[in-house]
Amino acid sequence: AGTGKKAEWNGVGVLKDGLRVKVLGNVGSPADALAAAQAGAEGVGLFRTEFCFLDAAEEPTVAEQTAAYEAVLAPFAGKPVVVRTLDAGADKPLAFLNPDPEPNPAMGVRGLRVAFDRPEILDRQLEAIAAAAKSSGADVSVMAPMVATAAEATWFVERAHKAGIARVGVMVEVPSAALSAREILQVVDFISIGTNDLAQYVFAADRQLGGVAALNDPWQPALLRLIALVGEAATATGKPVGVCGEAAADPLLACVLIGLGVTSLSMNHTALAGVGARLATSSMDICQLAARGALAAGDPASAKLAARAPH
Ligand code: PEP
Ligand code: MG
Protein backbone atom coordinates (compact mmCIF):
# COMPACT_ATOMS: atom_id res chain seq x y z
CA ALA A 1 0.00 0.00 0.00
CA GLY A 2 1.07 3.57 -0.50
CA THR A 3 3.31 2.96 -3.51
CA GLY A 4 2.91 5.55 -6.25
CA LYS A 5 0.80 7.81 -4.05
CA LYS A 6 2.17 11.28 -3.64
CA ALA A 7 3.19 11.68 -0.02
CA GLU A 8 1.27 14.28 1.95
CA TRP A 9 2.63 15.32 5.29
CA ASN A 10 2.11 18.39 7.43
CA GLY A 11 5.51 18.29 9.12
CA VAL A 12 4.40 16.78 12.44
CA GLY A 13 5.19 13.11 13.03
CA VAL A 14 2.11 11.44 14.42
CA LEU A 15 0.66 7.94 14.18
CA LYS A 16 -2.93 7.27 13.13
CA ASP A 17 -3.92 6.90 16.79
CA GLY A 18 -2.42 10.27 17.71
CA LEU A 19 0.85 9.02 19.24
CA ARG A 20 3.74 11.38 18.52
CA VAL A 21 6.88 10.21 16.76
CA LYS A 22 9.59 12.78 16.08
CA VAL A 23 10.53 12.86 12.39
CA LEU A 24 13.94 14.49 12.09
CA GLY A 25 16.59 15.31 9.51
CA ASN A 26 20.13 14.00 9.01
CA VAL A 27 22.41 16.89 8.06
CA GLY A 28 26.08 17.60 7.44
CA SER A 29 26.13 21.12 5.99
CA PRO A 30 24.17 24.40 6.03
CA ALA A 31 22.55 23.41 2.71
CA ASP A 32 21.39 20.10 4.19
CA ALA A 33 20.01 21.89 7.22
CA LEU A 34 18.02 24.31 5.09
CA ALA A 35 16.68 21.47 2.93
CA ALA A 36 15.65 19.50 6.03
CA ALA A 37 13.89 22.51 7.57
CA GLN A 38 12.07 23.22 4.30
CA ALA A 39 10.99 19.58 4.01
CA GLY A 40 9.34 19.81 7.44
CA ALA A 41 11.92 18.20 9.74
CA GLU A 42 10.90 18.75 13.37
CA GLY A 43 14.54 19.05 14.25
CA VAL A 44 17.81 17.26 13.54
CA GLY A 45 18.43 13.73 14.78
CA LEU A 46 21.96 13.51 13.39
CA PHE A 47 24.34 16.34 12.59
CA ARG A 48 27.46 14.67 11.15
CA THR A 49 30.04 17.26 12.22
CA GLU A 50 32.93 15.49 10.47
CA PHE A 51 31.35 16.52 7.13
CA CYS A 52 32.24 20.15 7.97
CA PHE A 53 35.97 19.37 8.04
CA LEU A 54 36.63 16.70 5.39
CA ASP A 55 39.16 19.01 3.67
CA ALA A 56 40.79 20.38 6.82
CA ALA A 57 44.52 19.61 7.04
CA GLU A 58 44.66 20.73 10.66
CA GLU A 59 42.24 20.78 13.54
CA PRO A 60 39.88 23.75 13.10
CA THR A 61 40.05 26.27 15.95
CA VAL A 62 37.21 26.53 18.47
CA ALA A 63 36.11 29.77 16.75
CA GLU A 64 36.12 28.09 13.32
CA GLN A 65 34.17 25.14 14.65
CA THR A 66 31.66 27.38 16.40
CA ALA A 67 31.01 29.27 13.15
CA ALA A 68 30.59 26.03 11.19
CA TYR A 69 28.09 24.64 13.72
CA GLU A 70 26.16 27.91 13.95
CA ALA A 71 25.62 27.87 10.18
CA VAL A 72 24.04 24.41 10.40
CA LEU A 73 22.00 25.15 13.55
CA ALA A 74 20.60 28.44 12.20
CA PRO A 75 17.36 27.07 10.65
CA PHE A 76 16.55 25.15 13.85
CA ALA A 77 16.31 27.84 16.53
CA GLY A 78 13.99 26.56 19.26
CA LYS A 79 14.04 23.03 17.80
CA PRO A 80 15.87 19.90 18.95
CA VAL A 81 19.22 19.18 17.26
CA VAL A 82 21.47 16.23 18.06
CA VAL A 83 25.07 17.12 17.29
CA ARG A 84 27.32 14.11 16.86
CA THR A 85 30.94 14.59 17.83
CA LEU A 86 33.53 13.86 15.13
CA ASP A 87 33.09 10.41 13.62
CA ALA A 88 36.41 10.25 11.85
CA GLY A 89 38.07 7.13 10.53
CA ALA A 90 37.07 4.17 8.36
CA ASP A 91 34.99 5.55 5.44
CA LYS A 92 35.49 9.18 6.61
CA PRO A 93 39.13 9.74 7.61
CA LEU A 94 40.11 13.26 8.71
CA ALA A 95 43.73 14.27 8.14
CA PHE A 96 44.15 15.73 11.63
CA LEU A 97 42.55 12.79 13.44
CA ASN A 98 43.49 9.69 11.47
CA PRO A 99 47.04 10.26 10.20
CA ASP A 100 48.19 6.64 10.36
CA PRO A 101 46.89 3.93 8.03
CA GLU A 102 45.36 0.89 9.74
CA PRO A 103 44.95 -2.66 8.42
CA ASN A 104 41.22 -2.71 9.33
CA PRO A 105 40.04 0.90 9.56
CA ALA A 106 36.38 0.00 10.23
CA MET A 107 37.50 -1.80 13.36
CA GLY A 108 40.27 0.57 14.27
CA VAL A 109 40.61 3.81 16.16
CA ARG A 110 37.55 5.58 14.76
CA GLY A 111 34.69 7.64 16.21
CA LEU A 112 34.91 8.20 19.96
CA ARG A 113 37.98 5.93 20.15
CA VAL A 114 40.11 8.73 18.69
CA ALA A 115 39.22 10.87 21.72
CA PHE A 116 40.54 8.41 24.32
CA ASP A 117 44.11 9.20 23.24
CA ARG A 118 43.54 12.89 22.58
CA PRO A 119 40.65 14.03 24.80
CA GLU A 120 41.60 17.69 24.39
CA ILE A 121 40.38 17.56 20.78
CA LEU A 122 36.97 16.33 21.99
CA ASP A 123 36.92 18.98 24.73
CA ARG A 124 37.55 21.75 22.18
CA GLN A 125 34.76 20.41 19.99
CA LEU A 126 32.35 20.26 22.94
CA GLU A 127 33.28 23.85 23.82
CA ALA A 128 32.45 24.95 20.25
CA ILE A 129 29.16 23.01 20.25
CA ALA A 130 28.13 24.61 23.56
CA ALA A 131 28.94 28.07 22.18
CA ALA A 132 27.02 27.46 18.93
CA ALA A 133 24.06 26.12 20.89
CA LYS A 134 23.90 29.32 22.89
CA SER A 135 24.19 31.72 19.96
CA SER A 136 21.83 29.81 17.63
CA GLY A 137 19.07 29.18 20.16
CA ALA A 138 18.73 25.57 18.96
CA ASP A 139 17.86 22.99 21.62
CA VAL A 140 21.16 21.13 21.32
CA SER A 141 22.16 17.74 22.66
CA VAL A 142 25.35 15.86 21.83
CA MET A 143 26.06 12.23 21.10
CA ALA A 144 29.17 10.15 20.56
CA PRO A 145 29.73 7.74 17.64
CA MET A 146 31.16 4.20 17.83
CA VAL A 147 30.55 3.60 21.52
CA ALA A 148 31.15 -0.05 22.51
CA THR A 149 30.59 -0.16 26.29
CA ALA A 150 28.72 1.56 29.12
CA ALA A 151 32.10 2.67 30.54
CA GLU A 152 32.84 4.56 27.30
CA ALA A 153 29.40 6.16 27.46
CA THR A 154 30.05 7.27 31.06
CA TRP A 155 33.41 8.77 30.05
CA PHE A 156 31.74 10.78 27.27
CA VAL A 157 28.83 11.96 29.42
CA GLU A 158 31.21 13.35 32.06
CA ARG A 159 33.18 15.35 29.49
CA ALA A 160 30.01 16.72 27.85
CA HIS A 161 28.61 17.78 31.23
CA LYS A 162 31.92 19.48 32.05
CA ALA A 163 31.54 21.47 28.82
CA GLY A 164 28.12 22.63 29.98
CA ILE A 165 26.02 20.44 27.69
CA ALA A 166 23.10 19.04 29.65
CA ARG A 167 21.58 16.46 27.33
CA VAL A 168 23.94 13.70 26.29
CA GLY A 169 23.47 10.49 24.34
CA VAL A 170 25.43 7.88 22.43
CA MET A 171 25.02 6.03 19.18
CA VAL A 172 24.39 2.33 19.20
CA GLU A 173 26.15 1.05 16.11
CA VAL A 174 28.42 -1.62 17.59
CA PRO A 175 26.67 -4.89 18.56
CA SER A 176 28.22 -4.85 22.07
CA ALA A 177 26.48 -1.51 22.71
CA ALA A 178 23.11 -2.93 21.63
CA LEU A 179 23.65 -5.86 24.00
CA SER A 180 24.49 -3.37 26.77
CA ALA A 181 21.58 -1.00 26.05
CA ARG A 182 20.15 -1.21 29.58
CA GLU A 183 23.44 -0.34 31.24
CA ILE A 184 24.10 2.43 28.74
CA LEU A 185 20.64 3.92 29.22
CA GLN A 186 21.39 4.24 32.93
CA VAL A 187 24.09 6.81 32.18
CA VAL A 188 22.82 8.64 29.06
CA ASP A 189 19.70 10.68 28.29
CA PHE A 190 19.04 8.98 24.94
CA ILE A 191 20.32 6.48 22.42
CA SER A 192 20.40 6.78 18.65
CA ILE A 193 20.78 3.59 16.64
CA GLY A 194 23.05 3.85 13.60
CA THR A 195 21.74 1.01 11.49
CA ASN A 196 24.35 1.47 8.73
CA ASP A 197 27.26 0.55 10.97
CA LEU A 198 25.24 -1.77 13.19
CA ALA A 199 24.40 -3.90 10.13
CA GLN A 200 28.03 -3.81 8.97
CA TYR A 201 29.27 -5.08 12.33
CA VAL A 202 26.49 -7.61 12.95
CA PHE A 203 27.02 -9.29 9.59
CA ALA A 204 30.78 -8.68 9.35
CA ALA A 205 30.00 -7.14 5.95
CA ASP A 206 31.75 -3.95 4.77
CA ARG A 207 29.06 -1.30 4.20
CA GLN A 208 31.03 0.10 1.24
CA LEU A 209 31.28 -3.20 -0.62
CA GLY A 210 28.60 -3.95 -3.22
CA GLY A 211 29.40 -7.67 -3.08
CA VAL A 212 28.04 -7.98 0.47
CA ALA A 213 25.15 -5.50 0.12
CA ALA A 214 22.54 -8.23 0.63
CA LEU A 215 23.87 -8.80 4.15
CA ASN A 216 23.67 -5.08 4.86
CA ASP A 217 19.95 -5.04 4.02
CA PRO A 218 18.25 -3.26 6.96
CA TRP A 219 15.35 -5.73 6.68
CA GLN A 220 17.61 -8.57 7.86
CA PRO A 221 15.75 -10.18 10.79
CA ALA A 222 18.97 -10.55 12.82
CA LEU A 223 19.48 -6.78 12.67
CA LEU A 224 15.83 -6.19 13.64
CA ARG A 225 16.23 -8.53 16.62
CA LEU A 226 19.16 -6.49 17.88
CA ILE A 227 17.17 -3.26 17.44
CA ALA A 228 14.32 -4.91 19.37
CA LEU A 229 16.68 -5.42 22.34
CA VAL A 230 17.46 -1.71 22.36
CA GLY A 231 13.77 -0.85 21.99
CA GLU A 232 12.90 -3.05 24.97
CA ALA A 233 15.58 -1.37 27.07
CA ALA A 234 14.19 2.03 26.07
CA THR A 235 10.66 1.06 27.02
CA ALA A 236 11.88 -0.35 30.35
CA THR A 237 13.82 2.80 31.25
CA GLY A 238 11.41 5.32 29.69
CA LYS A 239 14.27 6.96 27.78
CA PRO A 240 14.08 7.89 24.10
CA VAL A 241 15.69 5.76 21.41
CA GLY A 242 16.02 7.05 17.87
CA VAL A 243 17.16 5.52 14.61
CA CYS A 244 19.36 7.70 12.39
CA GLY A 245 20.65 5.13 9.88
CA GLU A 246 19.26 4.51 6.42
CA ALA A 247 16.65 2.11 7.84
CA ALA A 248 14.64 5.09 9.12
CA ALA A 249 14.18 6.39 5.57
CA ASP A 250 12.15 3.36 4.41
CA PRO A 251 8.47 4.15 5.22
CA LEU A 252 7.42 0.54 5.88
CA LEU A 253 10.54 -0.20 7.91
CA ALA A 254 10.00 3.05 9.85
CA CYS A 255 6.69 1.60 11.01
CA VAL A 256 8.43 -1.64 12.08
CA LEU A 257 11.03 0.37 14.03
CA ILE A 258 8.28 2.23 15.90
CA GLY A 259 6.71 -1.13 16.69
CA LEU A 260 10.07 -2.27 18.11
CA GLY A 261 10.06 0.60 20.63
CA VAL A 262 11.93 3.31 18.71
CA THR A 263 10.65 6.81 19.56
CA SER A 264 12.14 9.02 16.84
CA LEU A 265 13.39 8.66 13.27
CA SER A 266 16.05 10.73 11.56
CA MET A 267 16.70 10.67 7.83
CA ASN A 268 17.80 12.47 4.68
CA HIS A 269 15.43 15.34 3.84
CA THR A 270 14.19 13.56 0.70
CA ALA A 271 12.64 10.79 2.84
CA LEU A 272 10.79 12.98 5.39
CA ALA A 273 7.44 13.34 3.60
CA GLY A 274 7.21 9.66 2.64
CA VAL A 275 7.93 8.43 6.16
CA GLY A 276 5.69 11.07 7.74
CA ALA A 277 2.80 10.15 5.44
CA ARG A 278 3.18 6.43 6.14
CA LEU A 279 3.26 6.91 9.93
CA ALA A 280 0.01 8.90 9.71
CA THR A 281 -1.74 5.83 8.27
CA SER A 282 -0.37 3.38 10.88
CA SER A 283 -1.50 3.00 14.48
CA MET A 284 0.85 1.70 17.18
CA ASP A 285 -1.07 -1.61 17.08
CA ILE A 286 -0.32 -1.96 13.38
CA CYS A 287 3.34 -1.03 13.93
CA GLN A 288 3.67 -3.64 16.66
CA LEU A 289 2.03 -6.33 14.53
CA ALA A 290 4.32 -5.42 11.64
CA ALA A 291 7.32 -5.58 13.97
CA ARG A 292 6.34 -8.96 15.38
CA GLY A 293 5.93 -10.38 11.87
CA ALA A 294 9.26 -9.00 10.66
CA LEU A 295 11.12 -10.27 13.74
CA ALA A 296 9.86 -13.80 13.19
CA ALA A 297 10.78 -13.85 9.49
CA GLY A 298 13.66 -15.89 8.12
CA ASP A 299 14.98 -13.44 5.54
CA PRO A 300 14.62 -9.80 4.41
CA ALA A 301 11.97 -10.47 1.73
CA SER A 302 9.75 -12.41 4.15
CA ALA A 303 10.26 -9.72 6.80
CA LYS A 304 8.99 -7.09 4.36
CA LEU A 305 5.97 -9.21 3.42
CA ALA A 306 5.16 -9.83 7.08
CA ALA A 307 5.39 -6.11 7.84
CA ARG A 308 3.05 -5.24 4.99
CA ALA A 309 0.38 -7.75 6.06
CA PRO A 310 -1.27 -5.74 8.88
CA HIS A 311 -1.54 -2.57 6.77
C1 PEP B 1 25.07 4.78 10.96
O1 PEP B 1 26.13 4.16 11.09
O2 PEP B 1 23.97 4.23 10.76
C2 PEP B 1 25.05 6.26 11.03
C3 PEP B 1 23.92 6.92 11.05
O3 PEP B 1 26.25 6.90 11.05
P1 PEP B 1 27.15 7.08 9.73
O4 PEP B 1 26.30 6.64 8.55
O5 PEP B 1 27.51 8.51 9.68
O6 PEP B 1 28.29 6.18 10.00
MG1 MG C 1 27.90 5.15 11.82
Side-chain angles (χ1 to χ4, degrees):
T3 42
K5 257 194 281 170
K6 190 161 179 355
E8 280 179 39
W9 184 51
N10 66 2
V12 177
V14 59
L15 299 183
K16 194 179 179 184
D17 48 18
L19 283 172
R20 291 277 285 114
V21 171
K22 269 196 199 126
V23 179
L24 308 161
N26 288 354
V27 305
S29 68
D32 280 354
L34 212 55
Q38 282 166 354
E42 299 180 62
V44 170
L46 170 63
F47 170 11
R48 292 178 164 109
T49 56
E50 65 279 2
F51 280 20
C52 299
F53 310 117
L54 290 177
D55 299 326
E58 281 164 25
E59 181 192 351
T61 65
V62 171
E64 285 166 344
Q65 291 190 54
T66 304
Y69 305 149
E70 278 170 347
V72 172
L73 296 177
F76 290 98
K79 306 219 168 121
V81 177
V82 179
V83 182
R84 179 174 72 184
T85 55
L86 293 169
D87 184 20
D91 51 320
K92 293 167 293 194
L94 292 184
F96 62 96
L97 285 176
N98 319 98
D100 305 318
E102 296 175 338
N104 284 304
M107 297 195 214
V109 183
R110 60 163 294 202
L112 184 65
R113 296 170 182 183
V114 175
F116 299 142
D117 265 351
R118 284 174 291 169
E120 62 289 348
I121 295 181
L122 172 63
D123 291 344
R124 286 192 284 271
Q125 181 176 29
L126 291 169
E127 184 187 340
I129 294 169
K134 206 173 261 178
S135 51
S136 67
D139 178 11
V140 167
S141 22
V142 289
M143 70 177 176
M146 279 300 287
V147 168
T149 66
E152 291 180 0
T154 304
W155 184 86
F156 178 73
V157 169
E158 281 169 3
R159 296 199 99 86
H161 284 170
K162 239 176 242 166
I165 300 165
R167 202 162 172 275
V168 188
V170 296
M171 290 193 72
V172 164
E173 47 188 353
V174 179
S176 60
L179 294 165
S180 311
R182 274 184 196 244
E183 289 84 350
I184 289 177
L185 280 166
Q186 279 168 8
V187 298
V188 300
D189 298 306
F190 66 94
I191 271 176
S192 186
I193 305 174
T195 49
N196 309 332
D197 276 310
L198 189 57
Q200 150 164 279
Y201 295 122
V202 169
F203 288 96
D206 188 336
R207 65 189 262 188
Q208 294 179 281
L209 210 57
V212 292
L215 289 172
N216 277 315
D217 185 332
W219 281 96
Q220 283 281 4
L223 177 67
L224 298 177
R225 288 170 203 155
L226 209 47
I227 295 171
L229 280 185
V230 185
E232 281 161 24
T235 307
T237 56
K239 291 192 177 170
V241 168
V243 168
C244 63
E246 280 311 303
D250 172 336
L252 185 60
L253 188 49
C255 174
V256 167
L257 296 171
I258 297 304
L260 293 176
V262 166
T263 55
S264 69
L265 301 163
S266 192
M267 64 206 71
N268 188 285
H269 69 91
T270 53
L272 288 160
V275 169
R278 161 63 77 148
L279 292 177
T281 67
S282 309
S283 63
M284 183 56 95
D285 284 349
I286 287 180
C287 292
Q288 287 176 343
L289 278 173
R292 218 169 298 153
L295 278 183
D299 57 70
S302 326
K304 219 175 278 187
L305 272 179
R308 207 167 278 147
H311 282 91

Short mmCIF file of all heavy atoms in Angstrom, two decimals, residues 120-152:
data_model
loop_
_atom_site.label_atom_id
_atom_site.label_comp_id
_atom_site.label_asym_id
_atom_site.label_seq_id
_atom_site.Cartn_x
_atom_site.Cartn_y
_atom_site.Cartn_z
N GLU A 120 41.67 16.23 24.51
CA GLU A 120 41.60 17.69 24.39
C GLU A 120 40.93 18.09 23.07
O GLU A 120 40.30 19.13 22.99
CB GLU A 120 42.98 18.33 24.58
CG GLU A 120 44.06 17.98 23.58
CD GLU A 120 44.61 16.54 23.69
OE1 GLU A 120 44.33 15.84 24.68
OE2 GLU A 120 45.31 16.11 22.75
N ILE A 121 41.05 17.24 22.05
CA ILE A 121 40.38 17.56 20.78
C ILE A 121 38.86 17.47 20.97
O ILE A 121 38.10 18.33 20.52
CB ILE A 121 40.85 16.61 19.65
CG1 ILE A 121 42.34 16.84 19.38
CG2 ILE A 121 40.03 16.83 18.38
CD1 ILE A 121 42.92 15.99 18.27
N LEU A 122 38.41 16.45 21.68
CA LEU A 122 36.97 16.33 21.99
C LEU A 122 36.52 17.51 22.84
O LEU A 122 35.45 18.09 22.60
CB LEU A 122 36.71 15.01 22.72
CG LEU A 122 35.28 14.84 23.26
CD1 LEU A 122 34.26 14.81 22.13
CD2 LEU A 122 35.16 13.56 24.11
N ASP A 123 37.32 17.88 23.84
CA ASP A 123 36.92 18.98 24.73
C ASP A 123 36.76 20.29 23.94
O ASP A 123 35.83 21.05 24.19
CB ASP A 123 37.95 19.16 25.85
CG ASP A 123 37.90 17.99 26.84
OD1 ASP A 123 36.91 17.24 26.82
OD2 ASP A 123 38.85 17.83 27.62
N ARG A 124 37.67 20.52 22.99
CA ARG A 124 37.55 21.75 22.18
C ARG A 124 36.29 21.69 21.31
O ARG A 124 35.60 22.68 21.13
CB ARG A 124 38.81 21.95 21.34
CG ARG A 124 40.01 22.42 22.16
CD ARG A 124 41.16 22.88 21.26
NE ARG A 124 41.89 21.76 20.66
CZ ARG A 124 42.96 21.15 21.22
NH1 ARG A 124 43.41 21.58 22.39
NH2 ARG A 124 43.57 20.15 20.61
N GLN A 125 35.99 20.51 20.80
CA GLN A 125 34.76 20.41 19.99
C GLN A 125 33.52 20.65 20.85
O GLN A 125 32.59 21.35 20.45
CB GLN A 125 34.66 19.04 19.29
CG GLN A 125 33.37 19.02 18.46
CD GLN A 125 33.14 17.79 17.62
OE1 GLN A 125 33.60 16.70 17.97
NE2 GLN A 125 32.42 17.97 16.53
N LEU A 126 33.51 20.07 22.05
CA LEU A 126 32.35 20.26 22.94
C LEU A 126 32.19 21.73 23.31
O LEU A 126 31.06 22.25 23.40
CB LEU A 126 32.52 19.39 24.19
CG LEU A 126 32.40 17.87 23.95
CD1 LEU A 126 32.84 17.10 25.20
CD2 LEU A 126 30.97 17.48 23.55
N GLU A 127 33.33 22.41 23.50
CA GLU A 127 33.28 23.85 23.82
C GLU A 127 32.63 24.62 22.66
O GLU A 127 31.76 25.48 22.87
CB GLU A 127 34.72 24.35 24.06
CG GLU A 127 34.81 25.79 24.49
CD GLU A 127 36.28 26.28 24.54
OE1 GLU A 127 37.20 25.44 24.60
OE2 GLU A 127 36.48 27.51 24.49
N ALA A 128 33.01 24.28 21.43
CA ALA A 128 32.45 24.95 20.25
C ALA A 128 30.96 24.64 20.09
O ALA A 128 30.15 25.51 19.75
CB ALA A 128 33.22 24.53 18.99
N ILE A 129 30.58 23.39 20.36
CA ILE A 129 29.16 23.01 20.25
C ILE A 129 28.33 23.79 21.28
O ILE A 129 27.26 24.31 20.97
CB ILE A 129 28.99 21.48 20.44
CG1 ILE A 129 29.64 20.72 19.28
CG2 ILE A 129 27.50 21.12 20.54
CD1 ILE A 129 29.75 19.20 19.49
N ALA A 130 28.85 23.88 22.50
CA ALA A 130 28.13 24.61 23.56
C ALA A 130 27.96 26.08 23.16
O ALA A 130 26.89 26.67 23.35
CB ALA A 130 28.86 24.48 24.88
N ALA A 131 29.01 26.66 22.59
CA ALA A 131 28.94 28.07 22.18
C ALA A 131 27.92 28.25 21.06
O ALA A 131 27.10 29.19 21.07
CB ALA A 131 30.32 28.56 21.74
N ALA A 132 27.95 27.35 20.07
CA ALA A 132 27.02 27.46 18.93
C ALA A 132 25.58 27.23 19.38
O ALA A 132 24.64 27.84 18.85
CB ALA A 132 27.42 26.46 17.84
N ALA A 133 25.41 26.36 20.37
CA ALA A 133 24.06 26.12 20.89
C ALA A 133 23.50 27.41 21.48
O ALA A 133 22.35 27.79 21.22
CB ALA A 133 24.10 25.03 21.95
N LYS A 134 24.34 28.09 22.23
CA LYS A 134 23.90 29.32 22.89
C LYS A 134 23.54 30.39 21.87
O LYS A 134 22.46 30.98 21.91
CB LYS A 134 25.02 29.82 23.81
CG LYS A 134 24.51 30.66 24.98
CD LYS A 134 25.63 30.99 25.95
CE LYS A 134 25.63 30.08 27.17
NZ LYS A 134 26.75 30.37 28.07
N SER A 135 24.42 30.61 20.90
CA SER A 135 24.19 31.72 19.96
C SER A 135 23.07 31.41 18.97
O SER A 135 22.37 32.31 18.52
CB SER A 135 25.48 32.08 19.23
OG SER A 135 26.06 30.92 18.68
N SER A 136 22.86 30.14 18.64
CA SER A 136 21.83 29.81 17.63
C SER A 136 20.45 29.69 18.24
O SER A 136 19.44 29.81 17.55
CB SER A 136 22.18 28.49 16.95
OG SER A 136 22.08 27.43 17.90
N GLY A 137 20.38 29.39 19.54
CA GLY A 137 19.07 29.18 20.16
C GLY A 137 18.47 27.82 19.86
O GLY A 137 17.33 27.54 20.23
N ALA A 138 19.24 26.94 19.19
CA ALA A 138 18.73 25.57 18.96
C ALA A 138 18.80 24.81 20.28
O ALA A 138 19.63 25.10 21.14
CB ALA A 138 19.57 24.87 17.89
N ASP A 139 17.92 23.81 20.40
CA ASP A 139 17.86 22.99 21.62
C ASP A 139 18.82 21.81 21.41
O ASP A 139 18.42 20.74 20.98
CB ASP A 139 16.41 22.54 21.81
CG ASP A 139 16.24 21.64 23.01
OD1 ASP A 139 17.19 21.55 23.82
OD2 ASP A 139 15.17 21.02 23.13
N VAL A 140 20.09 22.04 21.72
CA VAL A 140 21.16 21.13 21.32
C VAL A 140 21.45 20.04 22.34
O VAL A 140 21.55 20.31 23.53
CB VAL A 140 22.46 21.93 21.04
CG1 VAL A 140 23.67 21.01 20.92
CG2 VAL A 140 22.30 22.76 19.76
N SER A 141 21.57 18.81 21.86
CA SER A 141 22.16 17.74 22.66
C SER A 141 23.35 17.20 21.87
O SER A 141 23.47 17.46 20.67
CB SER A 141 21.17 16.62 22.97
OG SER A 141 20.12 16.59 22.09
N VAL A 142 24.22 16.46 22.55
CA VAL A 142 25.35 15.86 21.83
C VAL A 142 25.30 14.35 21.96
O VAL A 142 24.73 13.81 22.91
CB VAL A 142 26.73 16.34 22.37
CG1 VAL A 142 27.00 17.76 22.01
CG2 VAL A 142 26.89 16.07 23.85
N MET A 143 25.91 13.68 20.97
CA MET A 143 26.06 12.23 21.10
C MET A 143 27.39 11.81 20.51
O MET A 143 27.96 12.47 19.64
CB MET A 143 24.91 11.48 20.46
CG MET A 143 24.86 11.53 18.97
SD MET A 143 23.46 10.51 18.41
CE MET A 143 23.51 10.83 16.65
N ALA A 144 27.89 10.67 21.00
CA ALA A 144 29.17 10.15 20.56
C ALA A 144 28.96 8.98 19.61
O ALA A 144 28.06 8.17 19.81
CB ALA A 144 29.98 9.68 21.77
N PRO A 145 29.79 8.88 18.56
CA PRO A 145 29.73 7.74 17.64
C PRO A 145 30.61 6.59 18.10
O PRO A 145 31.58 6.79 18.83
CB PRO A 145 30.30 8.34 16.34
CG PRO A 145 31.30 9.36 16.81
CD PRO A 145 30.79 9.89 18.14
N MET A 146 30.29 5.38 17.65
CA MET A 146 31.16 4.20 17.83
C MET A 146 31.44 3.88 19.29
O MET A 146 32.57 3.55 19.67
CB MET A 146 32.48 4.40 17.10
CG MET A 146 32.41 4.10 15.62
SD MET A 146 31.92 2.40 15.25
CE MET A 146 33.39 1.49 15.68
N VAL A 147 30.42 3.96 20.11
CA VAL A 147 30.55 3.60 21.52
C VAL A 147 30.35 2.08 21.64
O VAL A 147 29.43 1.53 21.05
CB VAL A 147 29.51 4.37 22.36
CG1 VAL A 147 29.41 3.81 23.76
CG2 VAL A 147 29.85 5.85 22.36
N ALA A 148 31.23 1.41 22.40
CA ALA A 148 31.15 -0.05 22.51
C ALA A 148 30.69 -0.52 23.87
O ALA A 148 30.17 -1.63 24.01
CB ALA A 148 32.51 -0.67 22.16
N THR A 149 30.90 0.30 24.92
CA THR A 149 30.59 -0.16 26.29
C THR A 149 29.95 0.95 27.11
O THR A 149 30.05 2.14 26.76
CB THR A 149 31.89 -0.57 27.04
OG1 THR A 149 32.68 0.61 27.24
CG2 THR A 149 32.69 -1.60 26.28
N ALA A 150 29.32 0.58 28.21
CA ALA A 150 28.72 1.56 29.12
C ALA A 150 29.81 2.45 29.74
O ALA A 150 29.59 3.63 30.01
CB ALA A 150 27.91 0.86 30.20
N ALA A 151 31.00 1.89 29.96
CA ALA A 151 32.10 2.67 30.54
C ALA A 151 32.49 3.81 29.57
O ALA A 151 32.77 4.94 30.00
CB ALA A 151 33.31 1.78 30.83
N GLU A 152 32.53 3.51 28.29
CA GLU A 152 32.84 4.56 27.30
C GLU A 152 31.76 5.63 27.32
O GLU A 152 32.05 6.83 27.21
CB GLU A 152 32.96 3.96 25.90
CG GLU A 152 34.18 3.07 25.71
CD GLU A 152 34.28 2.48 24.30
OE1 GLU A 152 33.40 2.76 23.45
OE2 GLU A 152 35.24 1.74 24.07
#
